[in-house]
Short mmCIF file of all heavy atoms in Angstrom, two decimals:
data_model
loop_
_atom_site.label_atom_id
_atom_site.label_comp_id
_atom_site.label_asym_id
_atom_site.label_seq_id
_atom_site.Cartn_x
_atom_site.Cartn_y
_atom_site.Cartn_z
N ALA A 1 -19.78 15.07 61.03
CA ALA A 1 -19.80 16.40 61.62
C ALA A 1 -18.81 16.45 62.77
O ALA A 1 -18.59 15.45 63.46
CB ALA A 1 -21.19 16.74 62.13
N CYS A 2 -18.21 17.60 62.95
CA CYS A 2 -17.35 17.84 64.11
C CYS A 2 -18.23 18.57 65.12
O CYS A 2 -18.52 19.75 64.96
CB CYS A 2 -16.15 18.70 63.75
SG CYS A 2 -15.05 17.91 62.58
N VAL A 3 -18.67 17.85 66.12
CA VAL A 3 -19.62 18.41 67.07
C VAL A 3 -19.04 18.31 68.47
O VAL A 3 -18.57 17.26 68.89
CB VAL A 3 -20.97 17.66 67.01
CG1 VAL A 3 -21.95 18.24 67.99
CG2 VAL A 3 -21.52 17.71 65.61
N GLU A 4 -19.09 19.41 69.17
CA GLU A 4 -18.65 19.45 70.56
C GLU A 4 -19.61 20.37 71.29
O GLU A 4 -19.89 21.48 70.84
CB GLU A 4 -17.23 20.00 70.62
CG GLU A 4 -16.66 20.04 72.01
CD GLU A 4 -15.22 20.54 71.99
OE1 GLU A 4 -14.44 20.08 71.16
OE2 GLU A 4 -14.92 21.40 72.82
N PRO A 5 -20.16 19.92 72.41
CA PRO A 5 -21.08 20.79 73.13
C PRO A 5 -20.35 22.05 73.62
O PRO A 5 -19.23 21.98 74.10
CB PRO A 5 -21.56 19.95 74.32
CG PRO A 5 -20.74 18.72 74.32
CD PRO A 5 -19.97 18.64 73.04
N LEU A 6 -20.98 23.20 73.44
CA LEU A 6 -20.41 24.48 73.85
C LEU A 6 -21.18 25.05 75.02
O LEU A 6 -22.40 24.97 75.06
CB LEU A 6 -20.43 25.48 72.70
CG LEU A 6 -19.57 25.16 71.49
CD1 LEU A 6 -19.80 26.19 70.40
CD2 LEU A 6 -18.11 25.13 71.88
N SER A 7 -20.46 25.64 75.94
CA SER A 7 -21.11 26.35 77.04
C SER A 7 -21.02 27.85 76.77
O SER A 7 -20.30 28.30 75.87
CB SER A 7 -20.41 26.02 78.37
OG SER A 7 -19.11 26.59 78.38
N ILE A 8 -21.71 28.64 77.54
CA ILE A 8 -21.66 30.09 77.39
C ILE A 8 -20.23 30.59 77.60
O ILE A 8 -19.77 31.49 76.91
CB ILE A 8 -22.63 30.78 78.38
CG1 ILE A 8 -24.07 30.38 78.08
CG2 ILE A 8 -22.46 32.28 78.37
CD1 ILE A 8 -24.56 30.83 76.72
N ASP A 9 -19.51 29.98 78.54
CA ASP A 9 -18.12 30.37 78.80
C ASP A 9 -17.25 30.14 77.57
O ASP A 9 -16.39 30.96 77.25
CB ASP A 9 -17.55 29.61 79.99
CG ASP A 9 -18.24 29.97 81.30
OD1 ASP A 9 -18.78 31.10 81.39
OD2 ASP A 9 -18.26 29.13 82.21
N ASP A 10 -17.45 29.02 76.89
CA ASP A 10 -16.67 28.72 75.68
C ASP A 10 -16.92 29.77 74.61
O ASP A 10 -16.00 30.22 73.94
CB ASP A 10 -17.01 27.35 75.12
CG ASP A 10 -16.59 26.21 76.03
OD1 ASP A 10 -15.62 26.40 76.79
OD2 ASP A 10 -17.23 25.15 75.97
N ILE A 11 -18.17 30.16 74.44
CA ILE A 11 -18.53 31.12 73.40
C ILE A 11 -17.96 32.49 73.73
O ILE A 11 -17.44 33.18 72.85
CB ILE A 11 -20.07 31.18 73.24
CG1 ILE A 11 -20.55 29.83 72.70
CG2 ILE A 11 -20.48 32.32 72.32
CD1 ILE A 11 -22.05 29.68 72.73
N SER A 12 -18.01 32.91 74.99
CA SER A 12 -17.52 34.23 75.35
C SER A 12 -16.00 34.32 75.25
O SER A 12 -15.45 35.39 75.06
CB SER A 12 -17.98 34.62 76.75
OG SER A 12 -17.43 33.74 77.70
N GLU A 13 -15.28 33.18 75.35
CA GLU A 13 -13.82 33.18 75.23
C GLU A 13 -13.37 33.24 73.78
O GLU A 13 -12.24 33.62 73.49
CB GLU A 13 -13.24 31.93 75.88
CG GLU A 13 -13.37 31.92 77.38
CD GLU A 13 -12.90 30.62 77.99
OE1 GLU A 13 -12.35 29.78 77.25
OE2 GLU A 13 -13.10 30.43 79.20
N THR A 14 -14.22 32.88 72.84
CA THR A 14 -13.87 32.85 71.44
C THR A 14 -13.98 34.26 70.87
O THR A 14 -15.02 34.90 70.99
CB THR A 14 -14.82 31.91 70.66
OG1 THR A 14 -14.78 30.63 71.27
CG2 THR A 14 -14.41 31.80 69.21
N PRO A 15 -12.91 34.77 70.24
CA PRO A 15 -13.00 36.12 69.67
C PRO A 15 -14.01 36.15 68.52
O PRO A 15 -14.13 35.19 67.77
CB PRO A 15 -11.59 36.39 69.16
CG PRO A 15 -10.91 35.08 69.11
CD PRO A 15 -11.63 34.16 70.04
N ASN A 16 -14.70 37.24 68.42
CA ASN A 16 -15.69 37.40 67.37
C ASN A 16 -14.98 37.78 66.08
O ASN A 16 -14.34 38.82 66.01
CB ASN A 16 -16.71 38.48 67.78
CG ASN A 16 -17.85 38.59 66.80
OD1 ASN A 16 -17.75 38.15 65.66
ND2 ASN A 16 -18.93 39.16 67.25
N ARG A 17 -15.07 36.98 65.07
CA ARG A 17 -14.39 37.23 63.81
C ARG A 17 -14.88 38.50 63.14
O ARG A 17 -14.12 39.21 62.53
CB ARG A 17 -14.58 36.06 62.85
CG ARG A 17 -13.88 34.82 63.27
CD ARG A 17 -14.31 33.71 62.39
NE ARG A 17 -13.17 33.15 61.70
CZ ARG A 17 -13.28 32.23 60.78
NH1 ARG A 17 -14.44 31.80 60.42
NH2 ARG A 17 -12.22 31.74 60.21
N MET A 18 -16.16 38.77 63.24
CA MET A 18 -16.71 39.95 62.59
C MET A 18 -16.12 41.22 63.19
O MET A 18 -15.82 42.17 62.49
CB MET A 18 -18.23 39.97 62.70
CG MET A 18 -18.91 38.84 61.93
SD MET A 18 -18.50 38.83 60.18
CE MET A 18 -19.46 40.22 59.64
N ASP A 19 -15.92 41.25 64.51
CA ASP A 19 -15.32 42.42 65.15
C ASP A 19 -13.89 42.61 64.66
O ASP A 19 -13.46 43.72 64.37
CB ASP A 19 -15.32 42.28 66.66
CG ASP A 19 -16.72 42.39 67.26
OD1 ASP A 19 -17.63 42.89 66.55
OD2 ASP A 19 -16.91 41.97 68.41
N ALA A 20 -13.14 41.53 64.54
CA ALA A 20 -11.76 41.63 64.11
C ALA A 20 -11.66 42.08 62.66
O ALA A 20 -10.78 42.84 62.29
CB ALA A 20 -11.06 40.28 64.28
N GLU A 21 -12.59 41.65 61.81
CA GLU A 21 -12.56 42.02 60.40
C GLU A 21 -13.00 43.45 60.17
O GLU A 21 -12.60 44.09 59.22
CB GLU A 21 -13.43 41.06 59.59
CG GLU A 21 -12.86 39.66 59.52
CD GLU A 21 -13.80 38.67 58.86
OE1 GLU A 21 -14.88 39.09 58.42
OE2 GLU A 21 -13.45 37.49 58.80
N SER A 22 -13.84 43.99 61.05
CA SER A 22 -14.36 45.34 60.83
C SER A 22 -13.48 46.42 61.43
O SER A 22 -13.67 47.59 61.16
CB SER A 22 -15.78 45.45 61.41
OG SER A 22 -15.74 45.26 62.81
N ASP A 23 -12.47 46.04 62.24
CA ASP A 23 -11.56 47.03 62.80
C ASP A 23 -10.72 47.64 61.69
O ASP A 23 -10.26 46.93 60.79
CB ASP A 23 -10.63 46.39 63.83
CG ASP A 23 -11.37 46.01 65.11
OD1 ASP A 23 -12.49 46.53 65.32
OD2 ASP A 23 -10.84 45.18 65.87
N PRO A 24 -10.46 48.95 61.76
CA PRO A 24 -9.61 49.55 60.73
C PRO A 24 -8.18 49.07 60.88
O PRO A 24 -7.75 48.70 61.97
CB PRO A 24 -9.71 51.05 61.02
CG PRO A 24 -10.18 51.16 62.42
CD PRO A 24 -10.95 49.91 62.72
N PRO A 25 -7.41 49.03 59.80
CA PRO A 25 -6.02 48.57 59.90
C PRO A 25 -5.23 49.50 60.79
O PRO A 25 -5.45 50.70 60.84
CB PRO A 25 -5.51 48.61 58.46
CG PRO A 25 -6.57 49.24 57.64
CD PRO A 25 -7.79 49.38 58.45
N SER A 26 -4.25 48.93 61.49
CA SER A 26 -3.46 49.71 62.42
C SER A 26 -2.36 50.50 61.71
O SER A 26 -1.84 51.46 62.25
CB SER A 26 -2.85 48.81 63.49
OG SER A 26 -2.04 47.84 62.87
N GLU A 27 -2.00 50.11 60.51
CA GLU A 27 -0.97 50.82 59.77
C GLU A 27 -1.60 51.85 58.86
O GLU A 27 -2.72 51.72 58.42
CB GLU A 27 -0.17 49.82 58.92
CG GLU A 27 0.56 48.79 59.74
CD GLU A 27 1.28 47.80 58.86
OE1 GLU A 27 1.50 48.10 57.67
OE2 GLU A 27 1.62 46.72 59.35
N ASN A 28 -0.83 52.86 58.53
CA ASN A 28 -1.30 53.89 57.60
C ASN A 28 -0.92 53.46 56.19
O ASN A 28 0.24 53.48 55.81
CB ASN A 28 -0.69 55.25 57.95
CG ASN A 28 -1.26 56.36 57.09
OD1 ASN A 28 -2.05 56.09 56.19
ND2 ASN A 28 -0.85 57.57 57.37
N TRP A 29 -1.89 53.06 55.39
CA TRP A 29 -1.64 52.53 54.05
C TRP A 29 -1.50 53.63 53.01
O TRP A 29 -1.18 53.39 51.88
CB TRP A 29 -2.77 51.59 53.64
CG TRP A 29 -2.81 50.37 54.48
CD1 TRP A 29 -3.56 50.15 55.58
CD2 TRP A 29 -2.01 49.19 54.31
NE1 TRP A 29 -3.31 48.91 56.12
CE2 TRP A 29 -2.35 48.30 55.34
CE3 TRP A 29 -1.05 48.80 53.40
CZ2 TRP A 29 -1.76 47.06 55.49
CZ3 TRP A 29 -0.47 47.55 53.53
CH2 TRP A 29 -0.82 46.71 54.56
#
């Protein structure tokens, strides 16, 4: 396993993938 202890600061600095995936595309398709 790749295990590294995480702090609250580490978690808050990591972008949320779900938010990025749910944003509408910036270009007009």
Side-chain angles (χ1 to χ4, degrees):
C2 296
V3 180
E4 182 177 314
L6 295 175
S7 69
I8 297 297
D9 294 334
D10 293 333
I11 294 170
S12 64
E13 291 175 7
T14 305
N16 187 340
R17 291 171 120 185
M18 294 302 286
D19 290 343
E21 291 173 3
S22 63
D23 289 342
S26 59
E27 298 178 18
N28 186 356
W29 294 95

